[in-house]
Amino acid sequence: ESFLKLYVIFNMLEMFERWCRSIGVDLFDLLAASSREPWPLLVLRCACALLYCFVHSVMHLLRVLLLNVAINTSSSAVFLIIVTNSFGEIKSTVFKKYTPESLFPIVASDIVERFYLVVDLIFVLARLSISPRGGAFTWSDIAYWLVFFV
């Protein structure tokens, strides 16, 4: 039951992150294009961009918290979350034909997701390495998680 909760929350954060990323690209394109607009409109768009950055940062902090909980509960929970998410991505893209032009956004999106996962994992591992539990995790455990996620 706890795995299902982690799985649902992790997938909800994943979908929300993709939605946020697509809105963020459009928002920052709009902000860059409005550099010659009147000053009040530019300030409003900057405020919207700052709000977007705040919401996206909170989403990543929640993801770091979720990964920390998953690592501390059991190693099988983390393994199942990663495998099921990877399986869903593979299943949705493996049987389609792609041209090089249509494959580039998919590869770029995957690179961005991996980068976010590595940054989130570095935060979790840094937190685990300075844990007050007297070194419950050794450097070999931390290296294992880093290699496992990447």
Side-chain angles (χ1 to χ4, degrees), residues 3-145:
F3 166 72
L4 288 176
K5 290 178 186 177
L6 285 174
Y7 179 74
V8 167
I9 293 172
F10 195 82
N11 281 333
M12 285 174 49
L13 284 174
E14 184 90 19
M15 289 186 299
F16 182 68
E17 195 271 327
R18 287 182 184 183
W19 179 73
C20 263
R21 198 177 339 142
S22 67
I23 286 179
V25 168
D26 293 338
L27 184 63
F28 284 113
D29 284 344
L30 179 67
L31 185 63
S34 67
S35 61
R36 296 189 187 263
E37 295 289 329
W39 189 78
L41 185 61
L42 184 63
V43 168
L44 178 66
R45 289 181 180 168
C46 282
C48 288
L50 284 174
L51 180 66
Y52 161 77
C53 288
F54 176 75
V55 169
H56 204 178
S57 298
V58 167
M59 187 270 316
H60 276 288
L61 289 175
L62 287 173
R63 189 171 174 178
V64 166
L65 179 68
L66 180 68
L67 285 173
N68 193 8
V69 167
I71 286 174
N72 284 331
T73 55
S74 70
S75 59
S76 62
V78 177
F79 178 72
L80 288 173
I81 286 173
I82 297 302
V83 166
T84 53
N85 283 341
S86 297
F87 181 72
E89 286 182 22
I90 290 171
K91 187 177 83 170
S92 68
T93 59
V94 77
F95 295 114
K96 296 180 182 176
K97 284 192 170 187
Y98 292 105
T99 64
E101 293 82 19
S102 66
L103 192 59
F104 177 75
I106 295 171
V107 171
S109 176
D110 190 44
I111 289 171
V112 168
E113 286 179 28
R114 293 286 176 175
F115 177 75
Y116 282 155
L117 186 61
V118 166
V119 169
D120 293 345
L121 186 64
I122 286 172
F123 285 142
V124 169
L125 295 178
R127 163 66 178 86
L128 291 177
S129 68
I130 59 171
S131 172
R133 291 187 287 168
F137 294 95
T138 64
W139 284 104
S140 62
D141 293 336
I142 292 171
Y144 167 75
W145 285 112

